[in-house]
Amino acid sequence: MKVYGDRGSSNTRRVLTTAAYLGLEVEFVFLDLFSGENRTPEYLALNPNGTIPTLVDGDVVLFEASAIMIYLAERAGSSLLPAGNAKYETLKWMFWAAEHFRRGPTVLIEQRFMDRLKGRAENPTLVAEALQAIHRYTAVLDGHLRTRRFVVGDALSLADIDLAAPLSHIPRTQAPFLEYPHVAAWYARINALLAWQQSGVAQERRIAEIERLFSSQQVPA
Ligand SMILES: N[C@@H](CCC(=O)N[C@@H](CS)C(=O)NCC(=O)O)C(=O)O
């Protein structure tokens, strides 16, 4: 089973955390977006979006991190995708993460990290809209977590890993997720997971590498 990605990406991190938590053997294939490795005909044949991550397992070829996570959990027969009604609760929060919760942080990572690396100033209107969306949806998650240790039932599920991913980039986005006490307490529980910690160390190492790459390319004034 191969996963194409970049360890600095929070979408890749969701998948690698899930695989590690489940103890699944995965061959990681690093794809350098900065040198266009996601735009080769070979890669576009697997994922016509040219995005990461992508999973290849025999005849199964998947893009979209959440779909990959569901595949991994089912393959391992794991309760990360629980049975019964809890399954639909898990899927509900995963769809919500994609449609709503990740919208604001996705804009911020572009504005406050990618654009900064490229020497572009942030767009105050886009940043203000992203922050507004983050407050709106983090308040919803905070209310939900007021009486819960994890997002679905009382155990870790794919919904937790999905929702925690954008918090990975707080050092870059300064997104105000942790101003919400129940979200902060829940995130501390996610941070206690070994698989999450390991993918976090690898993520920060790769981000530092990207920062160095861009600073070495800067032309002195
Ligand atoms: N919804 C997709 C998002 C994938 C995505 O946008 N990945 C980023 C890196 S985190 C990417 O590949 N960007 C390169 C590009 O869009 O060309 C998923 O969950 O897999």
Side-chain angles (χ1 to χ4, degrees):
M1 189 157 41
K2 284 184 185 173
V3 171
Y4 294 78
D6 181 326
R7 292 186 198 274
S9 133
S10 63
N11 291 314
T12 302
R13 183 179 183 188
R14 288 192 274 147
V15 166
L16 294 181
T17 302
T18 304
Y21 184 87
L22 296 171
L24 292 172
E25 283 272 329
V26 160
E27 182 189 339
F28 179 71
V29 184
F30 169 57
L31 211 68
D32 190 352
L33 303 182
F34 300 105
S35 60
E37 287 178 2
N38 56 328
R39 291 271 148 212
T40 62
E42 294 76 19
Y43 188 68
L44 290 172
L46 299 174
N47 179 346
N49 304 290
T51 51
I52 51 162
T54 299
L55 171 125
V56 179
D57 186 20
D59 291 342
V60 178
V61 180
L62 294 174
F63 54 81
E64 285 303 312
S66 300
I68 299 171
M69 292 159 68
I70 290 169
Y71 177 79
L72 296 176
E74 286 201 331
R75 200 174 183 280
S78 163
S79 60
L80 278 186
L81 186 63
N85 288 347
K87 173 175 177 174
Y88 305 108
E89 269 293 300
T90 305
L91 294 176
K92 176 182 87 178
W93 286 104
M94 292 175 84
F95 284 119
W96 181 82
E99 290 276 349
H100 303 294
F101 190 69
R102 277 198 296 271
R103 244 173 39 201
T106 300
V107 172
L108 287 190
I109 196 71
E110 205 55 46
Q111 290 289 313
R112 292 187 163 168
F113 181 62
M114 293 310 300
D115 282 357
R116 175 174 63 74
L117 289 178
K118 294 171 191 162
R120 295 187 201 134
E122 64 182 51
N123 176 323
T125 308
L126 291 180
V127 167
E129 284 170 2
L131 289 171
Q132 196 180 19
I134 289 171
H135 281 296
R136 176 176 172 181
Y137 296 115
T138 309
V140 172
L141 184 61
D142 199 61
H144 180 73
L145 289 169
R146 199 169 55 82
T147 53
R148 292 174 178 84
R149 289 174 48 75
F150 293 103
V151 172
V152 179
D154 203 30
L156 185 78
S157 74
L158 293 181
D160 296 288
I161 300 173
D162 232 22
L163 287 162
L167 280 72
S168 295
H169 281 312
I170 289 174
R172 289 155 286 283
T173 59
Q174 308 302 324
F177 296 117
L178 302 181
E179 289 175 15
Y180 292 79
H182 306 296
V183 168
W186 160 82
Y187 193 51
R189 288 191 276 279
I190 305 297
N191 272 320
L193 300 168
L194 185 63
W196 183 255
Q197 286 169 12
Q198 287 172 340
S199 63
V201 169
Q203 181 176 37
E204 291 307 318
R205 193 182 302 134
R206 172 64 185 143
I207 295 282
E209 207 174 276
I210 294 170
E211 299 259 14
R212 279 197 301 276
L213 177 79
F214 273 84
S215 63
S216 69
Q217 284 172 354
Q218 259 170 17
V219 182

